[in-house]
Amino acid sequence: MMNPEEIFREEIQLLKEELIAKHKALGMEASGKWIKALDSIIETTENNLNAVLKNFAYTEQLTQGREPGTFPPVGAIKQWIIDKPITPKDNISIDSLAWAISTKIFREGTDYYPDGTDLIDSVITPERIKKIIDRVGSIFLNNFELEINEQLKRG
C-alpha cells in the first residue's frame, strides 16, 4: 500500500503529464522547451504536503495570449517558425515571415489574446485537487497546498 507522500508524488507527476498532453492537444508544441522545463518541487513534512510547479517559461503567453502594443522578438518568432515547422509560401523568406508575424502580434496580439486558453484551467481544476486530497487522505486535508506560479492564474 502506498503512503500519502508516494500518492502525492504520483498525483503531481500525473498533473505534469496531463499538462503536457493538453499542451500538445492544443497544438502549442514547437521546440519542446516548455515540456522539458516543466518541473515540480515536492516538500513533505509530518503534517504537510506541498508541490510547486515551476519553470513555466512562456506559460503566460500560452494561457493568456500576448496583448498588442509591443513587438515580440523577431528572432524568437523565427525560431518558432523553424521549430513548428512552418514552411513559408510564395517565396517569402523565414526572416520576412518572422517579421510579418511579429508585426501582426504588435498590431493585434496573439491568437490566444484576449480570451486565453484552458491549458492550465482544464487540468488543475477544483475537482482534480479534490481527487488528490481524497487519495492522499483526510490527515492532510487542512494542510494540502498546490502552488502554481502567479503568472499562470488568469485574471
Side-chain angles (χ1 to χ4, degrees):
M1 183 171 155
M2 294 174 70
N3 68 39
E5 182 180 341
E6 292 169 330
I7 293 169
F8 188 68
R9 287 183 183 282
E10 179 181 90
E11 287 293 333
I12 298 306
Q13 181 61 37
L14 288 171
L15 276 179
K16 287 173 29 181
E17 291 170 12
E18 290 170 26
L19 285 168
I20 291 167
K22 183 66 176 184
H23 178 52
K24 290 179 179 181
L26 289 170
M28 295 177 162
E29 186 177 17
S31 68
K33 289 179 185 175
W34 187 88
I35 292 170
K36 290 175 194 153
L38 182 60
D39 196 11
S40 63
I41 296 174
I42 297 175
E43 300 169 348
T44 61
T45 64
E46 186 176 320
N47 296 318
N48 191 31
L49 298 174
N50 184 42
V52 179
L53 296 176
K54 62 180 208 136
N55 294 337
F56 275 104
Y58 190 60
T59 302
E60 183 176 8
Q61 286 83 15
L62 294 175
T63 57
Q64 299 174 14
R66 183 183 181 116
E67 64 183 334
T70 59
F71 279 97
V74 176
I77 300 294
K78 181 179 176 181
Q79 189 60 53
W80 174 80
I81 292 167
I82 293 166
D83 291 340
K84 196 70 175 156
I86 296 172
T87 304
K89 296 180 182 175
D90 300 327
N91 294 325
I92 188 172
S93 70
I94 290 177
D95 288 331
S96 294
L97 180 58
W99 176 253
I101 292 170
S102 181
T103 301
K104 178 190 179 290
I105 292 170
F106 171 78
R107 284 194 316 262
E108 302 172 19
T110 61
D111 290 344
Y112 301 147
Y113 181 82
D115 297 326
T117 69
D118 66 348
L119 173 62
I120 304 299
D121 297 344
S122 67
V123 175
I124 302 175
T125 64
E127 295 81 16
R128 186 73 171 88
I129 292 171
K130 183 180 179 328
K131 178 186 176 224
I132 294 170
I133 291 169
D134 290 346
R135 282 204 66 212
V136 169
S138 61
I139 190 168
F140 292 103
L141 182 61
N142 294 323
N143 298 314
F144 177 80
E145 288 185 50
L146 176 59
E147 295 179 24
I148 303 169
N149 192 325
E150 274 301 311
Q151 69 182 0
L152 304 181
K153 294 183 181 175
R154 288 166 57 187

